[in-house]
Amino acid sequence: MTRSAPARRGAAPAKTVAERAAIACLERLFGATDPAVALGIGDDAAVLRWAGGRLVWTVDACVEGVHFDRAWLSLGDVGWRSFHAAVSDLGAMGARPVAALSSLVLPAGFTRAELSALGRGQAAAATALGCPVVGGNVSGGDVLSVTTTAIGAARRVVTRRGARPGDVVWLVGEVGLAAAGLRLLRDGPAAWRRARAGAACVKAWRRPRARVAEGLAVARSATAAIDVSDGLGGDVGQLARASGVRVVLDEGALRAALCPELVAVGAAVGIDPLALALEGGEDYALVVTTHERRPHPVSVRIGCVEAGQGALLARVGGARALLGAGFEHGT
């Protein structure tokens, strides 16, 4: 839900710039040249040089009407989701969370009890991730908004830019569950939301988990990594562009990696579970490339890196299809 200036009479309303186009525009304007900046805009987080290694900073906004609807979430869920979404960027870069700042925009009529419920969700996430909230800001506005700035520390930072032809592509964590949970809440059979498979998908959307421990573990061997926040297909495409390579995902390996709950819910709502995995968002699994070595005990091999450009899906049978752009909030 985006506000814009009133259009001139008779003029067509201006189209809101898409998220990736906005990032590209700002990257051109804010290019960092300070020697203290090891990595600026264009990855999961920024990296600053410091005496003990690297500081990794990220910020993530969670806005009502764009990222969530309170009809489907408790305020505790909102607090939890917003915190894990931010800290997930640290995990993708192999950084250990250190602390966070929280900026809240509270709409008119937001009560003390509601604020306490939201804060309890944030506090629970902060405790689970070992990332205390040490400050922030509170202001009023039209809709509820939670912006989390998280800082981490790393001796070896993993970026999206290191994948090379011959590398193996691995998946750490499940994909598609959050998208299936959101679809169930929007228009799925009510009984399925209470069934075991449906409840697992809804929980995956309401209470996602940043994979910090896994990120720290894979950093030892990863050549590149990204967290799956905008859909597996779209995020693999971002990694491919950053590294200047072609990433090819294997359909058979992906289907074998899909969890049974996702397959069951996909059948219930009439959607191919592979489409939910490739196009849905907010799973916060990790996609990792390595020089063959398996990066984590739970990692699953799902593809390879080739010379070229773009992200492709190698279909069962041999044909290849271009992967889509992925999930955009508010669309």
Side-chain angles (χ1 to χ4, degrees), residues 16-261:
T16 302
V17 63
E19 179 181 352
R20 292 182 184 86
I23 293 171
C25 174
L26 295 173
E27 184 175 8
R28 290 191 293 271
L29 295 172
F30 298 153
T33 58
D34 192 289
V37 179
L39 182 63
I41 296 172
D43 217 292
D44 282 305
V47 181
L48 303 180
R49 297 181 177 91
W50 69 300
R54 296 290 186 268
L55 295 178
V56 183
W57 281 13
T58 188
V59 62
D60 194 88
C62 190
V63 182
E64 186 171 10
V66 177
H67 303 93
F68 69 92
D69 185 328
R70 275 197 267 173
W72 302 325
L73 289 167
S74 70
L75 285 167
D77 292 334
V78 173
W80 175 280
R81 291 177 84 249
S82 61
F83 207 90
H84 277 260
V87 176
S88 178
D89 290 335
L90 301 182
M93 300 190 78
R96 175 182 58 82
V98 174
L101 299 174
S102 174
S103 179
L104 305 178
V105 176
L106 307 180
F110 200 78
T111 66
R112 183 184 294 270
E114 289 175 317
L115 178 60
S116 294
L118 175 68
R120 284 194 296 272
Q122 290 178 291
T127 299
L129 293 168
C131 185
V133 177
V134 295
N137 186 66
V138 178
S139 65
D142 293 332
V143 297
L144 177 62
S145 175
V146 183
T147 299
T148 307
T149 301
I151 184 170
R155 293 196 174 276
R156 179 179 185 265
V157 175
V158 181
T159 74
R160 305 173 183 179
R161 305 179 184 186
R164 295 293 179 264
D167 282 358
V168 177
V169 182
W170 305 87
L171 179 65
V172 181
E174 283 121 7
V175 289
L177 283 174
L182 179 58
R183 182 59 66 97
L184 273 179
L185 290 168
R186 281 180 170 169
D187 52 21
W192 266 92
R193 300 174 199 167
R194 298 185 294 272
R196 185 182 65 83
C201 292
V202 170
K203 182 180 179 181
W205 183 70
R206 285 176 171 162
R207 294 272 172 156
R209 183 175 66 85
R211 289 170 171 84
V212 173
E214 294 92 330
L216 291 170
V218 304
R220 292 190 288 268
S221 59
T223 55
I226 189 170
D227 72 328
V228 184
S229 57
D230 298 322
L232 179 61
D235 286 322
V236 163
Q238 292 190 60
L239 187 148
R241 283 190 294 275
S243 292
V245 296
R246 176 184 296 134
V247 176
V248 182
L249 301 185
D250 182 276
E251 179 185 9
L254 273 177
R255 288 193 182 278
L258 300 180
C259 67
E261 291 83 0

